[in-house]
Amino acid sequence: LARLVGGRTRTDHLSDGEREVLAAAERELDQDAYAVLLAVAGGEPKRLPELIAALSDGQRRSCVPHLKAWRARLRDEWGHQARPRRGALVIAGAGCHTGAAAAAQWLAHTDLSLVEPADAPCLLAVLGDRPASWQGDVAHRVAGRRRADSEWGRGHYALVEALVLRSGCAVPTGGAFVQEWVRNRSWPSRSRYRPGAPHDASLSLMERLRADPFLEVLAPLLFEAEDIGALLLESAGSWPQTLAALAAEGRLERSTLLDGCLSRLLRSGSPGDARGFLALLKALEPTDDEYAARATTLLRLLPDAHSTVAALAQERLAALDADGRLDDEHLAQASRAVLFRTEKKLVRAQLSWLDAAARRDRERAGAVVLAAADALGHEDTAVQERALNLIARRLKHAGDAVRPELASAASSLSPALRPRAAEVLGVELADDGAAGPWEDVLPPVPEPVPMAPPLATAAEVAEEVGAVLAAAGAARFRPSAAPGVDAAAFERALDGLVRHAHRDRKGLKEALEPVIRAHHWDRHGMWWGDPGPGHLRYVIAVLFRQERATLPPESEAEAGEQARERGLSPFGEVVMARLREAAWRSRRDPLPFLLATPTTADGRIDPAGLVARLAEYESAGAVPGPCDLDQALLRVDVHAAGPEALAAAGRLGTPAGRRLATWLEAGGLSVADPVRAVEEHRPDPYRIPVTRVSLSGAAVSAPCELSPVFRRLLDTYTPDGDRGRAVWNTGHHLWPSVLPVHRELVALRLQTTFAATSDEELRGGAALLPALAEAGGAAGPAVHLGLAHTLGARHPEDRTAAVDALLVLAARGDLDAARLGRDVAGTVAAGTVKPNRLLESLREAVRAGAPATVFAVLAAALPEMLAIREPVRGLPDLLALATECAGTCGARGPVGGVAEAAGRGGSGRLVKEARRLRAVLEAPVAG
């Protein structure tokens, strides 16, 4: 043994776990096999090929359990001291696994990246004494296990390539392997296993691909692998030009590349992917004959492809049509595809193509005007006017047969353009404006959803808590998305823990054992950021004296200081205090249940239900937790308290019962009125001022004394200065349930988060707006200002959330359209909200069936927008939308600033749209 290991192997640098593995191996293995583990312990991979070659298959297999145990011990060791041992361990395992499947599984681990380039030949050496078929099988299995970009660590592709070339097996054709082939050829320094031309960094990409044995097999697969297009543009060389040159040389089939590019562009992948294949298509420079042979594919690109791709297809089809190589049916098909797209540049180009087609051949005028009629229903009135002008120019050559169809299409025109359309077509157009009071089609008013009954058994508690913790863990990695755990599930699980800790502590612990193993509490990460559903682990840790359980709760002053140091919001402080109280009361003085568990899913508590809970506490002689009782008072829906509930509360004899009676009689919290708007001017000249709402004086008062943590919550009524922090906290979605009948106070804290969705392009900042729209309490300036900001949010999901909130507020009668319109104008004037994003949101609300609501908002916003000195980009589109809404819902009467804008000189679009709106507002009411 001394001769084998050379007397150099030391074990004092090993961890305790590694020493245990080595000791077990010494007892169970013979000397030759044990020498392999000693070489691993010494981090000496260069000695492993000789040692492993001397072993029989049986001896190799005997080493495998010890190597696996060693890898498990090294799993959390990422320091540079352990790196040589980890690399040696990979090589030893590769040589000792005798089955191809087992060897591939071992090599597919991320540890393969720890094998140093200088040690790579050792890995190939321990695999080299196996048959060629075995090596090829391992190569394909490793390639098959690497299914995504992120799963390919350094060395995996190079190992697979080396085994394929040594064994002579077929080249793997999976998409992930093709991706790595592109990366490897783009950056040849990534390779570590095989020198040669394809890996020579001094050669150009063209020279490397010419010498590449994989080129003919993998190049056609570029069009099947995912996310390849972006890689073609990110590489150190120019893949599009190189592939085009190889096709010109005859090394690659040109038609295969052309068809592959077009088929891949039809899939409408990511913009980066489309840019890569579009660049390859342009590099190939297809001839007119090649485009003509693929005209059908070009037509299929028009409806759904990215705008740049559709523009190229449109340009080539127009050129084919100019040469007389496109018939009328193809012209009509192209128009139908393009004229309903939202990109105005494409639509204008299509109308120009139609006009040119009719100018070249008058016999095509009929087909042209019918094709242009599709644009009469476009959402942009400027496009409608352009199409109507085209029809007016070409109608005399089209004949009378097309007039009925054109009249039918003209019914979709904006009300301001219908009189001219009637004049052009010589027909009467039906006025579909409102012939009576218009009513928007709004969503049904949401009704409160009752909470599920309390968890009846310890097994149900374990199942619910496990589900909540699993969902909370998943939500940590997508904090900007919709919450993975709602407040109702969290409250029900917390109540279940408290309730069954009181009934059967031992049975609850047994039921929770699997949950405790899967979701261990780590005190080092507690309370950083607002606590959320995942902090149920803390309650379990305290309840069952789990290892690393946190210390008992500090004094109130220390808890407040700790919360401020760790960045908790006032809402997070409340949740933290409730969790601590529930945990430590359940451990020392168990409560029969929690008073603050909501009776409806939105967080509210029925007054009669809370009276009954306190009566049960009184019968049991239980004393409520201060935080639990305060939270219950803030959740009780005082407006639902009838005479019976008030009388029953008055009969309660405990201090908690008297507090509830006082609370109900006083009507709960009192919030100061009015709420005034203020402007925040930042010292940084590059930051946009944000309009905010604040309260003055003693704004919020309670009818009875509350604990300090709740007093801090109610005293903190100014907006959160840390923009977006609420969104990135895992517990932010619990905020509305803390004050479910006072949504304005929640919106006050979220103002800067709402604003950040527009001027800082924060994703997910509007996620709470729909919940606030369904919550209780007044919808005042903070709610409306938050809605104004998020209607202009950067990301579509935030704008959708804002539109949902807008419709719910309108359905409940809580929307002040005039206030919202003024807030919208203020945010646009401040530069916080971009009008084009606001337009998209309002159009979505119109499509949802609320044109009257949208017009009421615009009628209040347009006067201030028109008064802005600097031109507001996108304002003509808002005027056009107002015209459409007014024509649909029959709105009449002046809108401030519109007449003045319409009276300006010139023929700019703003003046045109103002004139159209004025014409609709001054028209007589239909019917």
Side-chain angles (χ1 to χ4, degrees):
L1 180 59
R3 178 180 57 78
L4 288 172
V5 303
R8 298 187 301 274
T9 301
R10 295 169 49 247
T11 61
D12 54 352
H13 62 293
L14 303 180
S15 66
D16 292 342
E18 291 177 283
R19 289 198 187 96
E20 292 176 6
V21 173
L22 202 58
E26 186 177 13
R27 291 192 301 269
E28 299 174 14
L29 299 179
D30 58 38
Q31 290 186 355
D32 292 342
Y34 180 57
V36 172
L37 272 76
L38 284 177
V40 172
E44 300 175 286
K46 290 182 172 54
R47 302 182 56 252
L48 287 171
E50 179 185 356
L51 295 174
I52 294 175
L55 301 180
S56 65
D57 283 354
Q59 289 176 307
R60 296 186 186 193
R61 285 192 292 268
S62 68
C63 294
V64 169
H66 303 284
L67 295 173
K68 288 183 176 180
W70 204 325
R71 173 176 273 184
R73 299 297 195 280
L74 281 173
R75 184 168 296 145
D76 298 325
E77 298 289 336
W78 287 97
H80 67 278
Q81 300 90 346
R83 187 180 179 94
R85 299 197 300 281
R86 292 176 69 106
L89 187 65
V90 172
I91 297 173
C96 291
H97 281 87
T98 57
Q105 183 176 6
W106 178 271
L107 290 169
H109 196 274
T110 55
D111 282 354
L112 182 62
S113 63
L114 299 174
V115 177
E116 298 291 343
D119 299 329
C122 299
L123 178 58
L124 292 179
V126 299
L127 298 172
D129 61 350
R130 296 291 176 180
S133 60
W134 186 94
Q135 296 183 48
D137 191 7
V138 169
H140 278 263
R141 288 177 182 273
V142 172
R145 293 180 68 88
R146 318 307 295 178
R147 291 184 294 274
D149 301 349
S150 60
E151 293 184 355
W152 284 85
R154 286 190 307 157
H156 285 102
Y157 170 83
L159 174 64
V160 171
E161 182 185 85
L163 291 176
V164 168
L165 293 174
R166 291 178 59 172
S167 65
C169 68
V171 180
T173 56
F177 184 79
V178 177
Q179 284 182 350
E180 284 303 305
W181 173 70
V182 172
R183 289 193 181 94
N184 189 275
R185 296 304 183 257
S186 300
W187 295 280
S189 59
R190 294 167 61 94
S191 179
R192 56 176 62 188
Y193 287 96
R194 192 177 81 89
H199 306 295
D200 191 342
S202 65
L203 299 178
S204 67
L205 177 63
M206 181 70 175
E207 292 169 325
R208 289 197 297 272
L209 290 182
R210 278 179 180 151
D212 194 336
F214 293 175
L215 178 67
E216 286 80 359
V217 177
L218 298 184
L221 301 178
L222 292 173
F223 310 106
E224 300 176 12
E226 296 294 331
D227 300 323
I228 284 287
L231 293 178
L232 299 181
L233 297 180
E234 293 173 1
S235 66
S238 177
W239 276 85
Q241 285 72 21
T242 301
L243 292 175
L246 290 170
E249 293 177 359
R251 180 75 183 273
L252 297 176
E253 182 65 36
R254 178 179 174 83
S255 60
T256 300
L257 297 181
L258 282 174
D259 293 335
C261 276
L262 292 174
S263 65
R264 186 54 180 265
L265 292 173
L266 277 172
R267 290 167 56 178
S268 296
S270 65
D273 195 56
R275 282 193 295 270
F277 289 105
L278 188 60
L280 177 54
L281 182 63
K282 290 179 178 179
L284 289 169
E285 297 181 349
T287 64
D288 290 342
D289 290 339
E290 288 173 325
Y291 274 127
R294 295 165 176 83
T296 302
T297 306
L298 294 176
L299 287 168
R300 292 175 58 197
L301 286 171
L302 294 176
D304 303 313
H306 291 284
S307 59
T308 53
V309 177
L312 175 66
Q314 184 186 48
E315 177 187 346
R316 300 318 307 162
L317 287 168
L320 292 175
D321 186 54
D323 291 342
R325 305 178 75 168
L326 217 61
D327 57 29
D328 290 353
E329 179 55 36
H330 285 156
L331 177 63
Q333 183 180 348
S335 299
R336 284 194 298 269
V338 173
L339 293 179
F340 286 102
R341 292 187 65 123
T342 57
E343 299 92 343
K344 298 176 187 177
K345 183 177 180 180
L346 288 176
V347 175
R348 289 195 296 267
Q350 190 64 32
L351 292 174
S352 298
W353 173 10
L354 289 172
D355 199 21
R359 187 170 56 250
R360 287 192 302 268
D361 185 358
R362 291 182 177 180
E363 294 184 358
R364 304 181 78 184
V368 164
V369 296
L370 290 177
D374 287 333
L376 298 181
H378 198 276
E379 61 183 20
D380 189 341
T381 55
V383 171
Q384 294 180 7
E385 184 179 27
R386 192 180 183 114
L388 185 57
N389 291 338
L390 187 155
I391 292 171
R393 287 194 300 270
R394 306 302 173 189
L395 185 60
K396 61 182 178 180
H397 301 295
D400 294 336
V402 300
R403 292 180 184 270
E405 191 169 343
L406 292 176
S408 175
S411 63
S412 301
L413 280 169
S414 169
L417 294 175
R418 286 179 190 167
R420 179 157 184 266
E423 179 184 349
V424 168
L425 299 177
V427 297
E428 283 291 331
L429 294 180
D431 187 357
D432 61 352
W438 172 271
E439 291 186 6
D440 285 345
V441 181
L442 297 172
V445 177
E447 296 292 335
V449 178
M451 282 278 286
L455 298 166
T457 65
E460 290 182 11
V461 173
E463 182 178 358
E464 185 74 7
V465 170
V468 167
L469 293 179
R476 288 181 60 193
F477 301 100
R478 48 180 177 83
S480 63
V485 183
D486 58 21
F490 165 69
E491 294 287 348
R492 191 162 176 256
L494 179 60
D495 176 71
L497 287 172
V498 172
R499 187 182 295 265
H500 288 275
H502 179 267
R503 292 182 182 178
D504 182 9
R505 183 191 182 100
K506 182 179 179 182
L508 178 62
K509 183 176 182 181
E510 292 176 356
L512 285 171
E513 282 296 339
V515 179
I516 294 173
R517 287 195 301 270
H519 305 279
H520 201 77
W521 172 253
D522 181 5
R523 64 185 178 90
H524 298 293
M526 69 175 187
W527 313 132
W528 289 103
D530 278 9
H535 284 70
L536 288 176
R537 296 175 301 157
Y538 168 78
V539 179
I540 299 172
V542 173
L543 188 58
F544 301 120
R545 301 177 184 271
Q546 187 177 328
E547 182 185 0
R548 296 185 181 182
T550 181
L551 297 173
E554 301 86 348
S555 67
E556 182 59 42
E558 291 175 345
E561 183 64 28
Q562 182 189 75
R564 285 185 290 274
E565 289 177 356
R566 297 187 174 182
L568 269 65
S569 72
F571 289 88
E573 286 189 62
V574 167
V575 177
M576 178 182 70
R578 289 189 60 218
L579 286 166
R580 282 179 161 170
E581 181 181 89
W584 289 94
R585 282 294 301 270
S586 296
R587 177 168 170 174
R588 295 172 175 171
D589 182 16
L591 297 167
F593 50 82
L594 289 178
L595 295 172
T597 304
T599 55
T600 58
D602 61 359
R604 283 179 270 194
I605 297 179
D606 176 62
L610 184 55
V611 171
R613 291 176 185 176
L614 281 173
E616 191 171 343
Y617 259 61
E618 188 173 338
S619 300
V623 179
C627 291
D628 187 34
L629 178 58
D630 288 350
Q631 178 65 90
L633 293 177
L634 289 177
R635 282 178 171 167
V636 67
D637 190 357
V638 293
H639 299 294
E644 298 82 1
L646 289 172
R651 291 192 293 269
L652 294 172
T654 59
R658 290 192 291 272
R659 289 183 66 195
L660 175 60
T662 302
W663 190 276
L664 294 178
E665 291 170 1
L669 290 180
S670 174
V671 181
D673 190 52
V675 179
R676 61 184 178 86
V678 298
E679 182 91 0
E680 176 198 11
H681 293 282
R682 298 190 183 87
D684 186 349
Y686 298 102
R687 296 291 292 273
I688 301 171
V690 177
T691 302
R692 306 202 302 185
V693 176
S694 184
L695 298 178
S696 58
V700 184
S701 59
C704 57
E705 186 67 21
L706 297 175
S707 55
V709 67
F710 285 91
R711 287 202 306 272
R712 286 196 294 272
L713 170 67
L714 299 180
D715 289 343
T716 310
Y717 43 76
T718 55
D720 191 342
D722 186 2
R723 311 197 67 189
R725 183 177 67 181
V727 171
W728 303 115
N729 273 324
T730 56
H732 79 282
H733 57 280
L734 300 180
W735 288 22
S737 66
V738 175
L739 293 170
V741 293
H742 295 283
R743 56 183 166 186
E744 186 73 3
L745 295 179
V746 181
L748 278 167
R749 287 289 303 177
L750 286 167
Q751 283 181 86
T752 49
T753 297
F754 291 151
T757 62
S758 53
D759 73 328
E760 292 188 3
E761 302 189 349
L762 177 71
R763 185 187 293 273
L768 292 181
L769 257 184
L772 293 181
E774 297 180 14
V783 172
H784 283 78
L785 186 57
L787 186 57
H789 280 126
T790 53
L791 284 171
R794 163 66 176 84
H795 298 286
E797 60 267 31
D798 286 313
R799 294 197 297 270
T800 300
V803 172
D804 290 344
L806 170 69
L807 297 176
V808 170
L809 287 172
R812 297 182 63 180
D814 294 337
L815 180 69
D816 186 340
R819 181 195 293 275
L820 178 59
R822 292 191 297 270
D823 287 341
V824 163
T827 58
V828 171
T832 310
V833 167
K834 295 181 180 179
N836 62 324
R837 297 173 183 171
L838 174 65
L839 177 71
E840 292 180 18
S841 297
L842 295 180
R843 280 199 183 281
E844 186 177 346
V846 171
R847 287 192 289 267
T853 300
V854 171
F855 178 78
V857 173
L858 288 173
L862 288 174
E864 295 187 29
M865 290 186 185
L866 290 168
I868 299 174
R869 291 184 179 181
E870 297 294 329
V872 178
R873 186 176 182 181
L875 184 54
D877 293 316
L878 292 173
L879 285 166
L881 180 61
T883 302
E884 177 187 336
C885 293
T888 302
C889 64
R892 298 296 184 266
V895 172
V898 173
E900 290 79 0
R904 298 175 190 171
S907 59
R909 185 154 179 253
L910 176 66
V911 176
K912 287 183 179 180
E913 295 298 347
R915 289 171 182 168
R916 290 182 183 132
L917 178 56
R918 182 183 63 180
V920 171
L921 294 175
E922 293 177 353
V925 179

